[in-house]
Amino acid sequence: HIQDPASQRLTWNKPPKSVLVIKKIRDASLLQPFKELCVYLTEENNMIVYVEKKVLEDPAIANDENFGPVKKKFCTFREDYDDISNQIDFIICLGGDGTLLYASSLFQGSVPPVMAFHLGSLGFLTPFNFENFQSQVTQVIEGNAALVLRSRLKVKVVKEHREKTTVQNGIEENGVVSANLEKEMGKQIMQYQVLNEVVVDRGPSSYLSNVDVFLDGHLITTVQGDGVIVSTPTGSTAYAAAAGASMIHPNVPAIMITPICPHSLSFRPIVVPAGVELKIMLSPDARNTAWVSFDGRKRQEICHGDSISITTSCYPLPSICFRDPVSDWFESLAECLHWNVRKKQNNFVEEEE
């Protein structure tokens, strides 16, 4: 049985009570929409509104006396300090696609449904227009909306823990001169949930990156070039598309592997099944280290012996649709990327008999 993408609908077991409002920082044009939305949620819907603490530190909000009574009702949190993952019924994003990626990063487990308003520069993942926000938010609260489950990647980074210890007088027991000695002291493990892509690149080095890519334990290729992108279908329209990959609808269960400027004419982007286990490591003979980032965040260096394991997460991001998953996606292709836009070819003029 193949599921119809349009059959995914938002339904509430009980009416939602708490909402997380994410606003793009340092954007004055969003202040008025943010205030209007918060007033509507708190005063007309009696909802508990969660807002990040640094949003309320904006002078334009902090010094607005008329907004004071509404602001006192807010629950605030700080990223990386407070865990709100079990307190939110749904999320509203105000800004561009980056706000949706940020919302994803706040929930490393199950993600509440996300309603994203297009108030940024691109808006591929943000289908809602703010002009009629009251009726649209009401529909979501009543559970009358289509959903698209955007798959995420579960990423595990394992680093060899290296601790530099100075040897006394710079001489080891066997008499070999050594100013510093690196000792391995266990391993450091970090985990991330990624909505768009994992990017492995050569960083500041002038040499090509050399990384080995394994699939379910088998070496499938070595990437020689600027790097490699491992992306979800949602991320296929982001960095991967710029690097020459196909664009894949978010309902397709897949993982994409796209080289960045490969030094091989035959290295084409490939699509592998969702659920496979990918592993990326520096090649043993690599001249330099590599760097990795996750949805453009948490950038870090990868050295020999370190590994990056990637598979499909069991925690997708439920994105609320404006119309339905297919219409929204093609609308975004047309509006944001101007997909297949060209002048029409003239038809032949039939000669009169």
Side-chain angles (χ1 to χ4, degrees):
H1 174 69
I2 298 175
Q3 185 183 24
D4 176 10
S7 68
Q8 292 173 178
R9 305 288 300 181
L10 172 64
T11 55
W12 300 107
N13 293 327
K14 55 183 179 179
K17 292 292 182 187
S18 59
V19 57
L20 167 62
V21 177
I22 294 176
K23 184 186 85 69
K24 185 179 175 184
I25 304 294
R26 296 187 298 276
D27 191 336
S29 67
L30 297 182
L31 291 172
Q32 193 57 36
F34 172 74
K35 292 175 182 177
E36 289 178 22
L37 175 66
C38 291
V39 168
Y40 179 74
L41 290 170
T42 54
E43 296 186 356
E44 296 194 34
N45 289 280
N46 295 317
M47 305 216 45
I48 302 167
V49 176
Y50 283 77
V51 178
E52 193 170 8
K53 200 168 186 179
K54 62 184 178 185
V55 170
L56 300 182
E57 291 170 357
D58 188 319
I61 294 176
N63 300 329
D64 187 345
E65 294 181 1
N66 296 328
F67 194 61
V70 177
K71 194 170 64 174
K72 287 179 182 177
K73 299 178 183 178
F74 290 159
C75 294
T76 59
F77 72 98
R78 294 171 300 166
E79 185 188 7
D80 296 331
Y81 283 94
D82 304 313
D83 182 15
I84 58 167
S85 55
N86 294 322
Q87 298 163 24
I88 305 299
D89 291 328
F90 74 103
I91 304 168
I92 297 179
C93 292
L94 302 177
D97 293 348
T99 56
L100 194 71
L101 296 173
Y102 180 65
S104 171
S105 71
L106 293 175
F107 294 86
Q108 293 297 298
S110 180
V111 189
V114 183
M115 182 182 193
F117 284 95
H118 167 38
L119 291 161
S121 55
L122 186 60
F124 197 93
L125 307 176
T126 51
F128 287 93
N129 195 311
F130 196 76
E131 288 176 6
N132 305 311
F133 78 93
Q134 292 99 334
S135 60
Q136 292 169 343
V137 170
T138 300
Q139 280 192 327
V140 170
I141 292 173
E142 292 173 353
N144 181 23
L147 274 181
V148 57
L149 295 177
R150 298 185 177 277
S151 67
R152 297 198 293 174
L153 298 174
K154 181 176 75 171
V155 188
K156 183 171 76 170
V157 180
V158 179
K159 287 189 172 183
E160 300 287 344
H161 188 66
R162 301 168 182 87
E163 186 176 320
K164 290 187 177 181
T165 57
T166 304
V167 181
Q168 190 174 8
N169 298 326
I171 300 175
E172 293 181 37
E173 290 180 359
N174 59 6
V176 178
V177 177
S178 174
N180 288 303
L181 183 69
E182 283 194 352
K183 287 187 176 179
E184 291 184 5
M185 304 288 290
K187 293 184 178 180
Q188 183 184 8
I189 298 175
M190 292 153 288
Q191 292 199 359
Y192 306 96
Q193 296 282 333
V194 175
L195 179 60
N196 260 2
E197 74 274 297
V198 179
V199 177
V200 180
D201 62 69
R202 62 190 174 96
S205 172
S206 59
Y207 295 115
L208 293 174
S209 70
N210 264 273
V211 294
D212 293 336
V213 180
F214 299 84
L215 193 149
D216 288 340
H218 303 285
L219 176 65
I220 55 169
T221 194
T222 297
V223 178
Q224 291 190 96
D226 280 358
V228 64
I229 304 165
V230 179
S231 62
T232 63
T234 295
S236 71
T237 49
Y239 194 176
S246 294
M247 294 181 287
I248 298 180
H249 189 277
N251 276 116
V252 178
I255 297 174
M256 303 182 63
I257 302 171
T258 308
I260 309 170
C261 298
H263 206 244
S264 164
L265 296 178
S266 61
F267 195 167
R268 307 302 302 152
I270 60 171
V271 180
V272 297
V276 299
E277 177 91 20
L278 291 171
K279 192 172 186 178
I280 299 176
M281 300 181 71
L282 270 183
S283 300
D285 55 352
R287 291 183 176 185
N288 54 304
T289 61
W291 289 75
V292 63
S293 60
F294 314 94
D295 284 341
R297 296 161 59 89
K298 310 288 185 185
R299 186 166 167 82
Q300 53 197 271
E301 192 173 16
I302 298 296
C303 303
H304 283 98
D306 300 343
S307 67
I308 306 162
S309 297
I310 305 168
T311 191
T312 306
S313 169
C314 58
Y315 299 111
L317 183 141
S319 180
I320 299 171
C321 300
F322 178 65
R323 288 192 182 88
D324 61 77
V326 175
S327 298
D328 282 13
W329 195 67
F330 278 99
E331 186 76 19
S332 293
L333 285 181
E335 287 290 320
C336 301
L337 300 184
H338 305 294
W339 180 63
N340 198 26
V341 174
R342 73 179 292 273
K343 289 184 71 175
K344 284 277 183 78
Q345 189 177 44
N346 292 331
N347 64 335
F348 287 123
V349 179
E350 293 184 10
E351 294 182 5
E352 295 182 8
E353 294 183 359

